[in-house]
Amino acid sequence: MSEQKKAVILYSGGLDSTTCMAIARAEGFAPYAMSFAYGQRHSVELDKARQYAPLVGAVEHQLVEIDLRRIGGSALTSELAVPKGGVVEGEIPVTYVPARNTIFLSFALGWAEVLGAFDIFVGVNALDYSGYPDCRPEYVAAFETLANLATRAGVEGSGRYRIHTPLLQLSKAQIIRQGLDLGVDYALTHSCYDPTPAGLSCGHCDSCLLRLKGFAEAGMKDPVAYV
């Protein structure tokens, strides 16, 4: 019996990344989860990540600490107010964290090199999302090209890195349905950008609104607690 292939999963503890983890496992990969404590105000998601990673089948869970508050530029890493009631279409909202996915994918690529893995899963979405530039298909394709130019295996030709984006063209409702089919317990996920100190979701930030819309369109009730 051949050894199970390893995959690094960018895993925040949120709805999308949790579904992504379940998909990787269902596709036969041994999931190695990587989460980031980057100074985000919604750090309750990390508690969910620690709790849920082993339950969804992560072989190992890395928590990387980076202080992106040092550079700021986002409502998630500064004292800027988190917008409520939705974002303006065509504008990149203040909840965008400068270069976040590039930073995260770079760490994931480094760990993949060490693990001897050639597959990285990231739960980016280009349909029900907030318009972040590092969630677009062309960005993912460009990073995959970079990964194969900037690594030993890529240069020596011993393997080719692939960035998997199984949620890229799915609506939030489709993501939820697929996750439920795979046994994901969404009560153990967190999406809110501006939770209360007790960890209750605000229900009004863009992330909450997208999540609630997804559950409504899927004909289900969101199991997490809201203010």
Side-chain angles (χ1 to χ4, degrees):
M1 184 176 178
S2 61
E3 184 181 355
Q4 193 176 21
K5 287 200 301 183
K6 300 173 182 177
V8 176
I9 321 296
L10 286 182
Y11 179 60
S12 69
L15 184 153
D16 291 340
S17 65
T18 301
T19 307
C20 212
M21 172 90 79
I23 290 171
R25 188 182 180 193
E27 290 182 359
F29 289 97
Y32 286 73
M34 178 170 272
S35 305
F36 294 86
Y38 60 92
Q40 66 268 50
R41 67 167 70 208
H42 55 305
S43 59
V44 64
E45 70 178 7
L46 297 174
D47 296 329
K48 299 295 184 184
R50 292 188 191 95
Q51 179 182 10
Y52 200 48
L55 299 181
V56 81
V59 176
E60 187 176 334
H61 182 211
Q62 286 268 18
L63 177 58
V64 178
E65 296 187 11
I66 315 168
D67 188 7
L68 294 185
R69 294 183 69 89
R70 296 287 296 274
I71 59 174
S74 169
L76 302 190
T77 57
S78 71
E79 300 310 313
L80 294 171
V82 173
K84 303 295 176 73
V87 298
V88 179
E89 188 173 351
E91 292 185 8
I92 298 173
V94 72
T95 50
Y96 163 66
V97 180
R100 180 174 61 179
N101 281 348
T102 303
I103 293 167
F104 290 0
L105 282 168
S106 297
F107 272 87
L109 178 61
W111 197 24
E113 278 203 273
V114 173
L115 291 171
F118 290 96
D119 298 275
I120 298 170
F121 282 74
V122 56
V124 294
N125 180 268
L127 290 183
D128 285 342
Y129 81 124
S130 300
Y132 300 153
D134 52 2
C135 289
R136 297 174 299 157
E138 52 267 45
Y139 165 76
V140 175
F143 193 93
E144 185 173 284
T145 298
L146 179 151
N148 288 289
L149 288 171
T151 52
R152 176 183 293 178
V155 170
E156 294 179 346
S158 57
R160 178 167 182 80
Y161 292 94
R162 183 182 172 199
I163 310 298
H164 297 255
T165 56
L167 313 183
L168 191 64
Q169 299 297 338
L170 300 182
S171 70
K172 196 68 78 177
Q174 289 172 319
I175 292 169
I176 290 166
R177 290 192 192 102
Q178 185 166 356
L180 291 172
D181 287 344
L182 294 172
V184 173
D185 181 359
Y186 287 114
L188 298 178
T189 66
H190 178 87
S191 301
C192 182
Y193 287 154
D194 194 22
T196 68
L200 296 179
S201 297
C202 74
H204 299 287
C205 69
D206 196 47
S207 187
C208 280
L209 293 175
L210 287 171
R211 179 179 173 122
L212 288 167
K213 173 176 174 281
F215 274 99
E217 290 179 352
M220 300 167 191
K221 185 178 186 306
D222 188 350
V224 304
Y226 287 83
V227 174

